[in-house]
Amino acid sequence: MNNQYSVLMSVYARDNPRYLGAAIDSILGQTLKAAEIVLVCDGPLTRELDQVIGRYEEHLRVVRLPRNQGLGAALSQGLGQCSCEWVARMDSDDISASNRCARQMEYLQAHPDVDVLSGTLAEFEGGALTGAEARNQVISYKCLPTDHQAVSRYIRRRNPVNHPCVMFRKSRVQQAGGYQPCPLFEDYDLWVRMYLDQCHFANLEETLLYMRVDGMHRRRGGIPYVRANVNFWTRMYRRRMISPVEYLGTVAVRCAVSLMPNSLRRLVYEKKLRRL
């Protein structure tokens, strides 16, 4: 197994140009350099975003979609442009730890049975543009089970992979059908299909990425998020991943959280779903 990997990113018109630059900088600053960075422009962008992309053009393989199609469709298009078997995901407003990809490739070389690998996310609020700045603004950590056996139990209740810092085998993702339409749950839906296709999962305990969560709790509320939850967990039930009782209980709890006032929903996430 070689240690070459591609990086897959997506950007759309509402993204912050300064944060996009910081995200790209964090990938270019990896101790183990990427073979390529594939950046999908999901529809027309603002002039400011295009200016940022222009500054990094020599480091990027830019794929431009004529209209906004959503994250799943954009990543599906970009994945086809990745030339390496190993692909590292990166969002346009997060900051990767400088040794993130080196640590992931090191683990994958030592564990050739693993197809999907992510790690701990450090969630932060504020305008940090470097990892050093982000460390001072961390409010919580999103940790996951580390081995496949634990993931097998966890996947039936919660998303077992931190998508913003995942590294996966391109061939196994494509074999499972790739990213498909599943609003707000495109990644979880993919992991479930890969799990049912006998893929192996793991997570590193160490922090691999600083994830910007300004407004996250607000985005996970309201009727659209309720509909997305019902749609996804109905899929889980139809795939026989959960029982009828588990289905009803999960939908009830998740919908109730989505309909809470934002301040209360934030408290649930920070006290019950995260490590402080």
Side-chain angles (χ1 to χ4, degrees):
M1 172 181 168
N2 63 45
N3 61 359
Q4 287 199 319
Y5 66 96
S6 303
V7 175
L8 176 59
M9 301 181 66
S10 176
V11 61
Y12 82 125
R14 293 187 181 180
D15 283 331
N16 185 306
R18 294 174 67 243
Y19 296 165
L20 174 62
I24 295 173
D25 281 336
S26 75
I27 288 298
L28 293 176
Q30 290 295 298
T31 55
L32 178 64
K33 305 300 181 185
E36 63 187 355
I37 303 173
V38 176
L39 176 65
V40 182
C41 300
D42 188 12
L45 304 179
T46 64
R47 182 180 62 181
E48 292 77 12
L49 284 168
D50 280 329
Q51 288 174 342
V52 172
I53 293 171
R55 292 203 305 269
Y56 294 96
E57 198 163 12
E58 64 180 295
H59 302 289
L60 305 174
R61 178 181 298 177
V62 180
V63 179
R64 291 188 179 271
L65 305 183
R67 60 181 179 82
N68 180 263
Q69 299 180 29
L71 181 62
L75 294 180
S76 182
Q77 293 278 344
L79 186 62
Q81 299 296 317
C82 293
S83 61
C84 297
E85 170 68 345
W86 288 106
V87 178
R89 272 284 292 119
M90 181 68 195
D91 281 337
S92 59
D93 56 355
D94 297 333
I95 301 171
S96 280
S98 61
N99 67 339
R100 169 199 161 180
C101 294
R103 285 290 297 117
Q104 288 181 292
M105 289 304 303
E106 177 184 322
Y107 182 92
L108 291 168
Q109 288 177 332
H111 300 81
D113 60 317
V114 172
D115 303 295
V116 181
L117 176 67
S118 73
T120 297
L121 291 179
E123 299 176 329
F124 75 97
E125 293 181 327
L129 298 179
T130 68
E133 293 172 343
R135 278 194 294 271
N136 295 325
Q137 298 173 1
V138 170
I139 60 171
S140 57
Y141 293 88
K142 186 179 179 184
C143 307
L144 295 171
T146 57
D147 62 82
H148 183 75
Q149 186 175 4
V151 166
S152 297
R153 298 188 295 270
Y154 194 86
I155 195 171
R156 302 171 193 279
R157 299 180 289 110
R158 295 182 62 191
N159 193 330
V161 176
N162 281 328
H163 190 215
C165 64
V166 71
M167 187 177 280
F168 52 63
R169 291 185 199 267
K170 175 183 174 180
S171 60
R172 294 308 306 268
V173 170
Q174 292 176 320
Q175 183 177 313
Y179 290 96
Q180 297 179 3
C182 187
L184 305 179
F185 289 86
E186 291 94 345
D187 60 316
Y188 199 167
D189 179 70
L190 173 59
W191 313 140
V192 171
R193 284 184 280 112
M194 292 183 74
Y195 174 77
L196 293 173
D197 199 37
Q198 307 301 312
C199 290
H200 281 246
F201 293 75
N203 292 293
L204 297 176
E205 288 184 309
E206 62 200 86
T207 298
L208 298 183
L209 181 135
Y210 298 91
M211 179 180 177
R212 205 178 299 273
V213 294
D214 305 67
M216 178 190 75
H217 308 99
R218 187 176 298 106
R219 291 191 297 271
R220 294 187 177 181
I223 297 301
Y225 204 75
V226 168
R227 292 197 188 102
N229 260 299
V230 172
N231 173 59
F232 174 74
W233 289 100
T234 299
R235 292 186 185 207
M236 288 285 278
Y237 172 65
R238 288 174 177 168
R239 288 169 173 152
R240 300 184 179 180
M241 290 288 289
I242 54 176
S243 69
V245 172
E246 290 171 325
Y247 168 70
L248 293 173
T250 299
V251 169
V253 170
R254 286 177 171 264
C255 290
V257 172
S258 293
L259 295 174
M260 288 177 178
N262 184 58
S263 58
L264 184 56
R265 183 167 50 253
R266 176 178 180 134
L267 188 64
V268 170
Y269 271 87
E270 292 182 352
K271 300 297 183 183
K272 297 296 184 181
L273 303 179
R274 296 294 188 268
R275 189 188 78 199
L276 302 181

